[in-house]
Amino acid sequence: EDKVVQSPLSLVVHEGDTVTLNCSYEVTNFRSLLWYKQEKKAPTFLFMLTSSGIEKKSGRLSSILDKKELFSILNITATQTGDSAVYLCAAHSGGGADGLTFGKGTHLIIQP
Amino acid sequence: GAVVSQHPSRVICKSGTSVKIECRSLDFQATTMFWYRQFPKQSLMLMATSNEGSKATYEQGVEKDKFLINHASLTLSTLTVTSAHPEDSSFYICSAIRQPSSYEQYFGPGTRLTVT
């Protein structure tokens, strides 16, 4: 059974702190790992990771994938209140098992 | 717990036909279900919000007569793509929440629709 586990489930930090969100996965025919930010209803795409060890960056956000250990992390530096959201990771399976398996998300709250 | 399934996982249909996709919450009652469509570059677009026993709320730009949503029970919502065209080919994902105002959404595995 495919599964994606995110940790922590909830995190409260102060503005300016750096946070690391974790995502481990076990899926059949792994193709890619996706990170989303969900504030209102539709998740916003952040990163797609396919190769191990290559960091992707976008502003204060960065993410990296470890295909040997089957996990990914999402880092946010110098957090701002606008970073408060639920962060979702999803593992994309390819081949005959085309599908997305989502984790439950990490609810991040940034306090001023 | 909190498993959401979709059926079928993959469907190929001819242009002009209709396709029904089911979304089920397997071990909880979902007061609200959401239907998304995934576009290139992995962005998810919310199509509609489905509440059990009432009409779905469609997002702007989504044709309600083309994408029929029925939330007949607390564990089942269906999306019917009517008179499908090749441009409807996409990855359709549903999610469910246990209770109103909950931030925890549980996503289904998605349905790959290909219209030929």
Side-chain angles (χ1 to χ4, degrees):
Chain A
E1 181 189 338
D2 293 347
K3 65 178 180 181
V4 173
V5 178
Q6 290 186 246
S7 64
L9 288 179
S10 183
L11 183 60
V12 182
V13 300
H14 290 290
E15 225 174 356
D17 287 351
T18 293
V19 296
T20 298
L21 309 183
N22 304 292
C23 174
S24 65
Y25 64 91
E26 285 181 47
V27 300
T28 311
N29 295 321
F30 174 80
R31 180 180 285 177
S32 61
L33 194 290
L34 308 166
W35 282 98
Y36 293 89
K37 177 183 181 182
Q38 183 165 27
E39 293 173 275
K40 293 179 180 176
K41 288 186 282 189
T44 304
F45 170 73
L46 295 176
F47 298 109
M48 181 174 77
L49 304 157
T50 54
S51 302
S52 257
I54 299 174
E55 186 183 53
K56 292 215 171 178
K57 277 183 80 80
S58 176
R60 295 176 293 104
L61 276 65
S62 64
S63 184
I64 198 161
L65 175 68
D66 186 327
K67 288 167 77 171
K68 184 179 175 187
E69 300 297 328
L70 306 183
F71 79 89
S72 173
I73 59 171
L74 174 68
N75 274 321
I76 309 175
T77 59
T79 53
Q80 302 170 359
T81 53
D83 296 327
S84 297
V86 175
Y87 290 84
L88 296 160
C89 84
H92 183 201
S93 315
D98 190 15
L100 276 178
T101 304
F102 279 85
K104 291 185 178 179
T106 293
H107 189 195
L108 176 63
I109 298 172
I110 310 297
Q111 291 182 334
Chain B
V3 176
V4 174
S5 72
Q6 283 184 237
H7 176 80
S9 55
R10 178 178 278 192
V11 58
I12 301 172
C13 71
K14 290 191 175 177
S15 201
T17 61
S18 295
V19 173
K20 181 186 282 188
I21 303 169
E22 292 184 349
C23 176
R24 290 182 187 273
S25 55
L26 298 184
D27 55 357
F28 67 100
Q29 293 187 325
T31 55
T32 303
M33 289 182 170
F34 301 95
W35 285 97
Y36 297 88
R37 181 174 172 175
Q38 187 173 33
F39 282 97
K41 297 189 178 181
Q42 319 307 324
S43 62
L44 288 177
M45 182 194 83
L46 178 66
M47 298 174 68
T49 302
S50 168
N51 292 297
E52 185 265 340
S54 63
K55 288 185 180 179
T57 303
Y58 289 81
E59 296 299 304
Q60 196 169 11
V62 178
E63 298 174 61
K64 64 175 82 172
D65 294 330
K66 179 167 182 62
F67 298 99
L68 301 177
I69 291 172
N70 187 334
H71 196 153
S73 76
L74 283 171
T75 59
L76 173 65
S77 176
T78 60
L79 167 68
T80 301
V81 182
T82 62
S83 188
H85 288 109
E87 55 265 32
D88 298 325
S89 298
S90 191
F91 199 56
Y92 293 87
I93 302 168
C94 75
S95 70
I97 58 174
R98 289 181 194 254
Q99 54 199 329
S101 306
S102 170
Y103 64 81
E104 280 191 21
Q105 281 193 40
Y106 301 96
F107 287 83
T111 296
R112 171 74 62 189
L113 170 64
T114 303
V115 185
T116 60

